[in-house]
Amino acid sequence: MEINKKYNKLIILSFLSIIIILIFIGITGFLTTSKIKVKTISIDETINEDNTKTLEIEIYNPLKKKIYCLISDKEKLTESDTEWIREKDNICSFNVNAGKFYIFIKDENNNIISTETDQIKINKILDLTLNTNKIYLTLGETYQIKTELTSIGEVDETIQYTSLDENIVTVTDGLVTPISNGNTKIVVNTSNNIVKEIEVIVTDIYKKASLDNNTTKLPCGIYSKEQNDLLDDILKFKVQEAGGEGTRGAVVATSRFLVLEFPYRINYFFENGRLNNHPGRPYVAGEGRYYKKGLYLNEERFQYLEAIDEGPATWGCPLMNWQDESGYKPGVRYANGLDCSGFITWALYNAGLDVGDSGAGDTERTDDIGDLGKHNELTKDFVLNGSYKVGDLIGRDGHIALIAGLDEENIYIAESLVGGVVIKSFAKNGSELYKLYSFINNMDEYYKEEGNYTNMW
């Protein structure tokens, strides 16, 4: 009996010892594990090539256990969170984007040990975009430089503009004002020293837009190839500033450039440039509208012409006429220029819209410019309700023109008449407008976009 009691006591003591040992092991393991924790979180201020920053998590790991780290934008882990990385020398390193994130660490037994939160800030200007790298100006004009910053986080968006020659142009808050003719550059600088340059050309080869139908008619042969090329480049610049090729703004820009900004008046010349003439009419040297964009002012342009019956001759130079109307005599040479359809097709073509060998008016022929767009009968009610725009076509059978300006009381029409290429104003409440024109064609569906333009220059 005594032996059984001793035996039972031994069993109980053994059992208690095992329990004590297990409790000790558990407490020791818990205490040891609890010592593993996030020691520091550091963020390198250098921005990586992929626009991230390097985040380093230092782990306190006295027993040198295998530790794994994970970062997430969610507060709780999910089954999809599997991208754990093993620490190296007690450091876990991540490349992260800006934002709030959560840090998780676990031991080799998949026990989640610690959760920390932090927020990273990436503040940097990545790029500076300018709306142009070249500006053309003439005295009396100004130009506003437009910029766009690509950045991450909170940045100093201050932009500094510097003219390299203030005797040619000055610049204040991106507004460029010409002082005298010449070439210079404007330096555009961001707060973190991203630098861009804009070339500026100030020239008197054209003038600030102004309505003057008494300008001198273009003389023959006064422009060199270099001058002609410069005018072509300025015209392209105007088109781009107006919204680019195919836009309404580009058509407004080309028509205004030739009539308001070119310093001479282009002469009228019958049927010039039409190679697919109507029966009985011989064709003459084209003025360039179907061969090359730009102005037709120098003999270098002759290389683009084909199928010539008479000529060639640049604008302003003598060319054989075959028409017998409006005082023009067949077999007599007159200064070359544009007829009404020639002017409109030139304006459209240089704006990126090629209507082909098109005539004027709205006859049953399929090659009339007057067939473009949505046809509207010209009545006083239609004119006064305002459902038309600058850049729309206006005309009558046998004549085509373009609306180049609008104000409260007047319509300004750009056209080539016997006196040359001009802009004439007509009162909306007057009678002359309705005597001379019979339709307005809305060109919304023909132009791919509106672009940039104003109702008046």
Side-chain angles (χ1 to χ4, degrees):
M1 190 71 176
E2 185 68 28
I3 294 173
N4 289 336
K5 287 182 178 180
K6 288 181 179 181
Y7 180 75
N8 290 336
K9 187 176 181 180
L10 181 62
I11 291 174
I12 293 171
L13 289 173
S14 298
F15 180 74
L16 290 174
S17 298
I18 292 170
I19 292 175
I20 291 170
I21 291 169
L22 290 175
I23 291 173
F24 177 76
I25 292 172
I27 292 172
T28 303
F30 173 77
L31 291 174
T32 303
T33 303
S34 66
K35 291 179 181 178
I36 299 172
K37 61 182 179 180
V38 174
K39 184 176 181 180
T40 61
I41 300 173
S42 61
I43 299 170
D44 192 333
E45 288 305 307
T46 302
I47 297 181
N48 303 317
E49 290 185 0
D50 60 351
N51 299 327
T52 61
K53 281 189 177 182
T54 299
L55 168 72
E56 288 191 346
I57 304 167
E58 184 182 4
I59 301 163
Y60 181 68
N61 182 18
L63 297 182
K64 306 298 181 182
K65 284 197 169 190
K66 294 179 182 178
I67 303 298
Y68 300 86
C69 307
L70 181 145
I71 61 171
S72 173
D73 59 357
K74 302 179 182 65
E75 188 173 1
K76 293 183 179 180
L77 289 177
T78 64
E79 292 182 0
S80 62
D81 293 315
T82 59
E83 297 181 359
W84 294 86
I85 67 168
R86 170 103 180 255
E87 49 76 28
K88 184 177 181 181
D89 297 328
N90 293 325
I91 299 290
C92 292
S93 181
F94 298 90
N95 287 348
V96 294
N97 294 309
K100 185 176 182 180
F101 55 89
Y102 297 86
I103 301 169
F104 301 89
I105 61 173
K106 69 178 183 179
D107 63 14
E108 56 196 11
N109 297 316
N110 289 324
N111 297 314
I112 304 298
I113 298 169
S114 176
T115 302
E116 302 279 343
T117 63
D118 207 339
Q119 187 155 345
I120 184 170
K121 291 184 179 181
I122 301 178
N123 302 319
K124 185 177 182 181
I125 297 173
L126 302 175
D127 195 14
L128 169 67
T129 303
L130 306 177
N131 63 319
T132 185
N133 59 11
K134 182 178 288 188
I135 299 170
Y136 295 93
L137 286 169
T138 193
L139 296 180
E141 291 183 320
T142 58
Y143 183 86
Q144 181 66 52
I145 299 172
K146 297 177 182 177
T147 61
E148 182 178 348
L149 290 177
T150 304
S151 61
I152 295 177
E154 299 176 359
V155 299
D156 180 358
E157 296 186 348
T158 302
I159 296 177
Q160 182 178 358
Y161 303 89
T162 305
S163 170
L164 296 186
D165 191 339
E166 293 194 341
N167 292 318
I168 296 177
V169 296
T170 60
V171 55
T172 304
D173 295 330
L175 183 65
V176 184
T177 303
I179 304 300
S180 63
N181 294 332
N183 296 5
T184 188
K185 290 183 178 180
I186 290 173
V187 178
V188 187
N189 210 351
T190 67
S191 59
N192 67 331
N193 207 33
I194 294 178
V195 179
K196 298 288 180 74
E197 290 186 346
I198 301 175
E199 184 180 358
V200 184
I201 298 97
V202 182
T203 176
D204 59 4
I205 201 168
Y206 76 104
K207 62 184 179 71
K208 182 182 178 181
S210 63
L211 181 57
D212 181 6
N213 290 326
N214 294 316
T215 54
T216 303
K217 288 187 176 181
L218 175 64
C220 175
I222 64 170
Y223 285 99
S224 67
K225 176 185 180 300
E226 291 71 24
Q227 290 173 317
N228 199 158
D229 290 342
L230 176 58
L231 283 164
D232 287 357
D233 289 341
I234 294 169
L235 179 60
K236 292 175 187 175
F237 172 74
K238 299 280 185 179
V239 167
Q240 291 306 308
E241 288 298 303
E245 291 192 347
T247 64
R248 179 184 292 272
V251 176
V252 174
T254 55
S255 60
R256 287 178 178 174
F257 182 78
L258 199 62
V259 187
L260 301 175
E261 298 174 278
F262 186 64
Y264 294 100
R265 182 158 37 118
I266 305 299
N267 292 277
Y268 183 89
F269 196 93
F270 282 99
E271 295 293 328
N272 194 6
R274 303 196 65 199
L275 299 184
N276 301 322
N277 283 275
H278 303 298
R281 293 182 177 181
Y283 54 77
V284 295
E287 82 285 17
R289 59 181 173 178
Y290 302 121
Y291 308 97
K292 183 180 184 299
K293 292 180 181 178
L295 287 78
Y296 194 56
L297 303 172
N298 183 267
E299 292 181 359
E300 183 268 344
R301 299 294 188 263
F302 292 166
Q303 63 180 296
Y304 302 103
L305 296 179
E306 300 175 0
I308 298 170
D309 201 34
E310 287 285 344
T314 58
W315 290 344
C317 292
L319 183 63
M320 185 65 70
N321 166 68
W322 300 111
Q323 302 298 312
D324 188 10
E325 56 184 292
S326 302
Y328 286 74
K329 302 298 181 183
V332 176
R333 295 181 182 275
Y334 296 92
N336 189 16
L338 299 167
D339 65 358
C340 63
S341 62
F343 167 59
I344 299 302
T345 55
W346 180 89
L348 291 170
Y349 186 55
N350 279 275
L353 300 159
D354 187 359
V355 299
D357 188 9
S358 302
D362 59 347
T363 66
E364 295 179 357
R365 297 197 307 261
T366 59
D367 62 348
D368 284 331
I369 305 174
D371 296 325
L372 299 176
K374 182 180 179 182
H375 191 84
N376 298 281
E377 183 180 354
L378 183 64
T379 65
K380 184 169 288 189
D381 286 343
F382 178 77
V383 170
L384 294 179
N385 72 20
S387 57
Y388 53 93
K389 304 174 184 176
V390 171
D392 284 341
L393 299 181
I394 185 170
R396 61 180 181 272
D397 187 26
H399 183 62
I400 192 70
L402 183 139
I403 299 175
L406 289 169
D407 62 25
E408 291 292 329
E409 299 179 352
N410 302 294
I411 294 180
Y412 297 82
I413 298 175
E415 56 192 339
S416 184
L417 303 170
V418 170
V421 182
V422 295
I423 289 182
K424 297 184 68 177
S425 64
F426 295 87
K428 297 177 182 178
N429 280 319
S431 60
E432 187 178 9
L433 176 68
Y434 308 97
K435 290 179 182 178
L436 295 177
Y437 306 95
S438 62
F439 66 85
I440 289 179
N441 286 3
N442 181 287
M443 300 290 283
D444 283 345
E445 295 182 1
Y446 187 74
Y447 301 143
K448 67 178 185 180
E449 293 178 6
E450 285 293 284
N452 309 312
Y453 64 91
T454 55
N455 278 341
M456 291 297 292
W457 46 89

